[in-house]
Amino acid sequence: MTGPAIGRGAGKVILLGEHAVVYGYPALAAALPGGVELTASWQVAPAQPAAPAALAAPADPWRMRVELPQWQLSLDTGAEPAHPVARALAALWRELGPAAPASPPASQVPPGAAVELALRGQASIWPSAGLGSSAAFTVAAARALAALAAAALDDDAAARAADAAERVFHGKPSGLDVALATAGGAGVFERGRGLTPLHLPPLGLVIGHSGAPRSTADMVARVAERTGGARSDARLVALGAAVERGVRAVAAGDLSALGAAMDAAHHQLAELGVSSPRLDEMCQAARAAGALGAKLTGAGGGGCAIALVPSVSCAEAERVLRAWSELGLATRAVALGAGAPG
Ligand code: MEV
């Protein structure tokens, strides 16, 4: 047996530009220090003289077990599995092609033994929270599976495989989540152009979970309904303009201007119907506690809000953390930009 086949994908936080990015506007985003880590392995059960043929060999490549805190599934054989995670992995597998592991080395499989491909791992980001957990999962899965196959998989190939799986989860994703999950760092993402890396100045973000799950596909559909799918919708144009102001602010190291762009973006996202009373309340509480700006992040409707502070250890960060804790929310603070860990 070779060494463990490990794959990682990063979570992400969108500072500016969600939803508008689907319509071709740029978005400013950063990878989170945490994400999903998966280990792929072949599990060989003891030889069973009467093992059914379907279990005796990995004839069906997506007979897999996936074990994460939020997903504990055995993916059964079948042409089109029903569970979205199983369908996503099937799509990913097809896209990986020869980089997907075909079968364990024959020397590892006693005659008549049952073989299962197991993906086990851990997630250090909240699921269904707008922090890119599904992209982190699919990128980690692509990398872990290719590692098990001892196949070279560059970032573009990992992103293509992960994108195929993301389409199962989210319909027509912009590709932003997968780009950050694959590349890490921070940058400006544009559909068709990909991620242009950008150095963030040192900054702190307080992330609070509204407590409500969200569905990216539902929120993207809501925006399409409200805008009639028109890129020229004034709210999308205003979101695009906020990103441009935010990118200029980042280049100038002007956190106050970045915070103002975030406030403006939250207002437009609320106008598009993807905020919630809880997310609005969180943003107001954060601003009152001294945050430089606050907004929902990701698809909205639930999930997380972010508050910009000069650093994770400053008085404003402590006040935002306290205000959100008093609302009964789960919180975390992350340092981004130059000198930030991970
Ligand atoms: C989801 O993280 C961000 C959205 O803009 C959807 C997408 O980019 O695919 C809402």
Side-chain angles (χ1 to χ4, degrees):
M1 179 64 108
T2 50
I6 296 175
R8 297 185 183 86
K12 66 92 184 55
V13 62
I14 300 178
L15 295 170
L16 289 164
E18 50 275 271
H19 288 291
V21 69
V22 174
Y23 295 81
Y25 292 95
L28 175 63
L32 285 169
V36 173
E37 178 178 297
L38 290 173
T39 303
S41 61
W42 293 111
Q43 303 291 307
V44 181
Q48 298 186 7
L55 284 180
D60 183 322
W62 39 91
R63 175 175 285 281
M64 289 187 208
R65 184 175 330 134
V66 180
E67 291 179 13
L68 278 169
Q70 69 268 41
W71 286 313
Q72 300 225 340
L73 333 163
S74 250
L75 309 183
D76 288 331
T77 54
E80 198 51 50
H83 195 286
V85 174
R87 280 192 287 121
L89 283 168
L92 183 144
W93 192 283
R94 280 192 291 269
E95 185 63 40
L96 277 178
S103 60
S107 59
Q108 288 177 24
V109 188
V115 175
E116 188 176 61
L117 200 162
L119 278 174
R120 292 209 176 81
Q122 51 196 351
S124 55
I125 42 172
W126 297 315
S128 296
L131 301 181
S133 64
S134 69
F137 169 70
T138 53
V139 168
R143 286 175 166 162
L145 291 171
L148 187 64
L153 190 74
D154 65 19
D155 281 0
D156 286 348
R160 272 197 305 278
D163 262 329
E166 279 285 278
R167 283 196 288 277
V168 173
F169 290 130
H170 298 317
K172 281 192 195 159
S174 65
L176 163 65
D177 292 17
V178 164
L180 263 306
T182 311
V188 177
F189 178 88
E190 229 175 306
R191 213 170 189 157
R193 190 176 283 184
L195 187 72
T196 306
L198 182 73
H199 287 293
L200 295 178
L203 58 87
L205 278 187
V206 183
I207 306 177
H209 197 312
S210 67
R214 61 94 196 81
S215 154
T216 299
D218 289 353
M219 292 301 111
V220 170
R222 180 174 298 179
V223 171
E225 186 194 310
R226 298 258 172 127
T227 60
R231 185 176 194 274
S232 56
D233 180 278
R235 295 159 292 191
L236 296 176
V237 173
L239 280 171
V243 178
E244 280 174 21
R245 292 199 301 279
V247 171
R248 280 200 299 274
V250 162
D254 184 347
L255 292 187
S256 299
L258 176 61
M262 289 169 61
D263 287 343
H266 182 80
H267 176 71
Q268 297 301 334
L269 291 164
E271 292 288 305
L272 284 168
V274 296
S275 189
S276 69
R278 189 59 151 174
L279 288 166
D280 290 344
E281 182 185 22
M282 289 169 70
C283 292
Q284 277 155 21
R287 289 176 201 126
L292 297 166
K295 62 182 277 291
L296 69 83
T297 189
C304 289
I306 52 173
L308 178 68
V309 287
S311 78
V312 289
S313 53
C314 67
E316 291 86 345
E318 270 173 37
R319 287 203 298 270
V320 174
L321 283 165
R322 199 174 325 119
W324 282 358
S325 297
E326 281 165 10
L327 292 174
L329 307 172
T331 57
R332 61 181 284 204
V334 292
L336 296 178

